[in-house]
Amino acid sequence: MRRNVADCLTLPYHDDFFILRWLRARNFDPVAAEKMLRNSLKWREKWEADTIQEWPTPKVFEQYYPSGVSGFDKEGSPIVILPFSGIDMWGMLHSVSKNDFNRMAIKTFEATLDLARKQAEVHGITASKVVGILDLSGFNIKQFAWRPAAEAAITLIQMYEANYPEILKACYIINVPKVFAIAFSVVKNFLNDYTLSKIHIYKSEPNKWKPILLSQIEEDQLPVIYGGTMCDPDGNPSCPSKIKLGGKIPKSLYIKNQVDDKEEKNEEEYTIVTVKKGDKLRLDYEVTEIGSFLKWAFFTDGHDIKFGILSRDKSGKEKEELAISRVSCSQVEEEGVLTCNELSTYSVIFDNTYSILRNKKLHYSISLLPPLATTTSPSAD
């Protein structure tokens, strides 16, 4: 395996332990492990994962993305806490593009993994993995019954499984309501056996899960609400200074609302076309201002259609901005906004090449809008 991938092992942490992660993820099949690793390296290049920390975090994430590192377990591994009650998926996906949502997840994964590597230099290889605590207090399955939210969650799981194998030491899911069983029955289909073996699920019975946590973690590394002794200077037992609690995102931060303010308030008109079986529709939009918005809304009269967005620079090189995938849009209108961060030609694709029997009647409304004007908001103080 080391010989076969020697051409792509370029970073200091690409050592034997790194190679073993990919081998274990593919049951020590070196051919499958090499394929997985090379696919991941292409993915990292596409998403610029090695320089993702330079990506400016959108304001909504800084304030409303619930997660944080509370400390380290007894072997030195980072402890990541995710308070589910603070996740506002509707607000999040109306405030940022799906790509930015993915970028934030990658940025979080990379920062935590980098911290684990630094811990391993001091405490040994056992500190190179991550401990997760998912607090499901207030879990609301209705959020994830909304298709875009469910798709976003599944995308993150698939991203993790394909590109961050064998980095999980343990995941404790606590304060689990009965309804979580429905969601987990879907989620576990996207997790490999290794990941599933690391997941420990506990109901809302602190007398059961607190001793388990404290057997692995010192009290001063956990917030009071999780059985530790850590609290903020003001006495807050949730430690929001370390663990962002998220919360309801105000509509003033919704991109779609801000974009809508720029448009006329009359009813949108849809263009109606028939995308024939085995054919595709490509619509090009020339972006001349960085930060412009490409906004879309569409539905079909029946059956699904593939949808995605590509960008093409002056040299003709194309890049996938929104993966082309099948969208069930015959009953619920599909809509979204993409921030255009490059001066390129953006192509909206409606693809029916996979259908050999049916033409698709498509109703669409697509607009390219200029960047939002920079405004100075009043101080929160």
Side-chain angles (χ1 to χ4, degrees):
M1 174 72 173
R2 190 193 300 111
R3 288 194 299 271
N4 289 345
V5 297
D7 61 299
C8 60
L9 300 183
T10 58
L11 297 175
Y13 64 82
H14 287 168
D15 53 16
D16 283 357
F17 293 108
F18 175 81
I19 294 174
L20 280 169
R21 282 175 45 203
W22 304 90
L23 283 168
R24 290 194 182 105
R26 288 295 178 263
N27 296 318
F28 287 89
D29 179 340
V31 175
E34 179 183 352
K35 181 179 179 181
M36 182 185 183
L37 172 56
R38 290 187 182 278
N39 286 341
S40 180
L41 291 174
K42 290 179 182 177
W43 172 87
R44 293 183 66 84
E45 182 179 0
K46 171 186 172 182
W47 288 94
E48 300 177 330
D50 291 329
T51 57
I52 194 71
Q53 301 307 324
E54 299 173 8
W55 175 63
T57 304
K59 179 181 177 182
V60 68
F61 287 139
E62 292 179 353
Q63 192 169 353
Y64 294 100
Y65 194 86
S67 69
V69 175
S70 69
F72 307 95
D73 74 357
K74 292 179 180 180
E75 294 182 325
S77 296
I79 304 163
V80 177
I81 297 179
L82 174 57
F84 256 78
S85 61
I87 296 178
D88 177 9
M89 290 297 292
W90 175 271
M92 194 73 72
L93 294 178
H94 278 73
S95 303
V96 297
S97 68
K98 290 180 182 178
N99 277 357
D100 281 352
F101 185 77
N102 291 339
R103 285 189 186 95
M104 187 61 197
I106 297 169
K107 188 171 185 175
T108 303
F109 285 148
E110 291 293 318
T112 306
L113 195 53
D114 184 60
L115 178 59
R117 292 192 192 104
K118 291 176 181 176
Q119 287 293 106
E121 292 175 2
V122 177
H123 301 281
I125 195 64
T126 54
S128 65
K129 295 188 177 184
V130 178
V131 176
I133 300 175
L134 277 60
D135 182 3
L136 263 64
S137 299
F139 174 75
N140 183 1
I141 197 171
K142 289 182 180 179
Q143 285 204 78
F144 297 93
W146 180 47
R147 186 174 54 79
E151 289 178 349
I154 290 171
T155 296
L156 294 192
I157 293 169
Q158 293 174 322
M159 180 192 302
Y160 166 81
E161 287 287 357
N163 302 287
Y164 299 95
E166 305 288 320
I167 68 166
L168 184 67
K169 178 183 284 187
C171 178
Y172 302 99
I173 307 179
I174 61 175
N175 296 321
V176 174
K178 290 182 179 179
V179 71
F180 177 71
I182 299 172
F184 193 67
S185 66
V186 175
V187 167
K188 68 181 182 181
N189 294 320
F190 298 92
L191 300 173
N192 65 35
D193 291 339
Y194 169 84
T195 304
L196 286 171
S197 72
K198 299 296 181 180
I199 295 176
H200 311 278
I201 300 175
Y202 300 94
K203 298 178 182 178
S204 300
E205 300 172 347
N207 61 318
K208 290 188 177 180
W209 54 258
K210 282 186 179 180
I212 299 295
L213 295 183
L214 293 174
S215 69
Q216 308 295 322
I217 304 166
E218 298 289 357
E219 290 183 339
D220 63 353
Q221 300 296 300
L222 274 179
V224 170
I225 63 168
Y226 300 121
T229 58
M230 183 188 298
C231 62
D232 272 359
D234 63 0
N236 191 321
S238 299
C239 298
S241 64
K242 283 181 169 285
I243 314 298
K244 286 186 291 185
L245 304 180
K248 187 73 172 177
I249 298 173
K251 290 186 177 180
S252 60
L253 294 179
Y254 286 14
I255 286 178
K256 290 183 182 179
N257 280 5
Q258 296 178 58
V259 170
D260 287 342
D261 288 342
K262 285 181 168 286
E263 298 182 305
E264 296 180 3
K265 297 301 182 181
N266 60 338
E267 185 177 350
E268 286 185 321
E269 294 183 359
Y270 286 80
T271 300
I272 303 174
V273 298
T274 296
V275 184
K276 294 183 178 181
K277 58 188 179 184
D279 201 359
K280 70 173 65 174
L281 173 66
R282 182 179 185 128
L283 305 169
D284 291 339
Y285 297 84
E286 189 70 27
V287 173
T288 57
E289 293 182 272
I290 291 177
S292 297
F293 294 100
L294 186 61
K295 184 185 178 209
W296 63 87
F298 65 88
F299 62 92
T300 59
D301 284 354
H303 308 289
D304 58 17
I305 194 165
K306 283 187 176 182
F307 170 76
I309 300 175
L310 307 175
S311 65
R312 184 175 68 256
D313 61 22
K314 292 181 179 179
S315 69
K317 183 179 179 182
E318 286 193 334
K319 182 171 70 171
E320 196 174 67
E321 298 289 342
L322 184 65
I324 298 174
S325 59
R326 291 172 74 159
V327 177
S328 299
C329 54
S330 59
Q331 296 180 336
V332 179
E333 181 183 57
E334 181 76 9
E335 58 180 342
V337 176
L338 175 71
T339 303
C340 303
N341 295 315
E342 297 179 12
L343 300 180
S344 302
T345 300
Y346 283 71
S347 299
V348 177
I349 309 294
F350 293 102
D351 187 347
N352 196 32
T353 56
Y354 63 96
S355 179
I356 60 174
L357 298 175
R358 296 186 178 92
N359 299 331
K360 306 291 172 63
K361 190 173 183 180
L362 173 70
H363 305 247
Y364 70 85
S365 174
I366 300 174
S367 50
L368 182 62
L369 304 167
L372 298 174
T374 303
T375 58
T376 303
S377 53
S379 170
D381 295 333

